[in-house]
Amino acid sequence: MYLIPPVPYIDSAFDLATIALVSALLILSLLSFFLIFHLRLKCRTSHQLLHFNSLWTVRLLLVLFISLWAVNELLRIPFFRRRYPYPFLPSLSLSQQADLCRLYVVLSLGLYEPGFLVTFLFLVNVSVNKNRKYNVWGVIIVFSFCLPNLFLQLFFTFSPWQELPISAFQRRSFADVRDGYGNDAFLCVFPIVNTLAFCAFAIVYALCFVLSCWRVVSVVINKGLRVRIYALAAAVLFSLLVELLFLGISVLFSPADTLYGGAVLVVFLSVLCCAVTGEGILVIWPISEAISAGDDFCRWNSIPEGPDKQAAVEG
């Protein structure tokens, strides 16, 4: 009788890389959460920061979407769907693993990734809008734009096959393989029809994002802000292009092949780069600048009128 369960192993280097990068992204998201709430607390003592904090709920939603997407990526890894990480819980049956794969596909392609992409678009659009009272309405707008794609993903994933003129192969969200212990397990795969639905969303989104960035750049005078918009647009568009390309390539290989694992890893890396760039440009950078500006303003007000303040101005 073993008091300690056998040490689990990671199925492949691709899974190990995914776990490491997800951990790093979650740490970055924790930093973003800290900055958002830190700025929120500072606004109570510094009214000059209220303007910078007007979109705090939307930024919070953005970081939440990215964090949930990262956690959801762990469902794709068989390591987290076996009994070994949870020795005191019963092992999952194959049908339960299949349900988790379906849930992973719907949440990844239907909610979390579209959610943070739409939030990017919203924050870019309101960046040049003087009326920034979007705390509640911003969240409602983001979710309303995510609903059509989410409903399509739910429909294609959970509708009975007999009601749709689509083969079971085109709708499969899992594949039966054998793990390193010789046991049957399911690998999560992206169904063809769900991928096509996401491609349609991505194409429409890319057009809207390009138009929004062009509108903002044509209005903004600040060179630094222009560079950020260019960097964000390049990261989002390039990441979407790579993701869609390798989602299509993954269909050509069996889920048990190494090339399939490589294609899925590239898809993950492309979305990860997009999320990290957006979180850095739209959350961490502006909040850090706002906190720094607030501290400088407080130090300026703390200097009494006289030669010292005049010297600070001249310096």
Side-chain angles (χ1 to χ4, degrees), residues 124 127-128 209-210 212-235 277 281-282 285 289:
V124 169
S127 62
V128 292
F209 193 77
V210 168
S212 297
C213 291
W214 177 80
R215 184 177 68 89
V216 171
V217 169
S218 63
V219 174
V220 169
I221 301 176
N222 186 290
K223 184 178 179 180
L225 185 55
R226 278 186 160 192
V227 171
R228 293 184 208 174
I229 297 297
Y230 286 136
L232 179 63
T277 304
I281 293 177
L282 297 175
W285 200 328
E289 286 187 341

Side-chain angles (χ1 to χ4, degrees), residues 48-119:
Q48 290 75 22
L49 293 175
L50 288 176
H51 176 72
F52 297 101
N53 196 45
S54 58
L55 295 171
W56 76 276
T57 54
V58 181
R59 289 193 173 100
L60 188 66
L61 180 65
L62 171 60
V63 180
L64 184 62
F65 272 137
I66 292 176
S67 302
L68 291 175
W69 172 82
V71 174
N72 187 56
E73 283 298 306
L74 299 179
L75 290 180
R76 176 174 56 82
I77 302 175
F79 174 80
F80 289 96
R81 287 185 280 108
R82 289 195 297 254
R83 61 179 297 177
Y84 309 110
Y86 322 103
F88 302 107
L89 297 177
S91 59
L92 295 177
S93 64
L94 291 180
S95 62
Q96 289 172 327
Q97 291 187 45
D99 290 337
L100 282 178
C101 284
R102 295 188 185 99
L103 182 64
Y104 161 76
V105 170
V106 170
L107 292 179
S108 180
L109 298 182
L111 181 60
Y112 296 150
E113 184 181 351
F116 71 72
L117 288 175
V118 172
T119 311

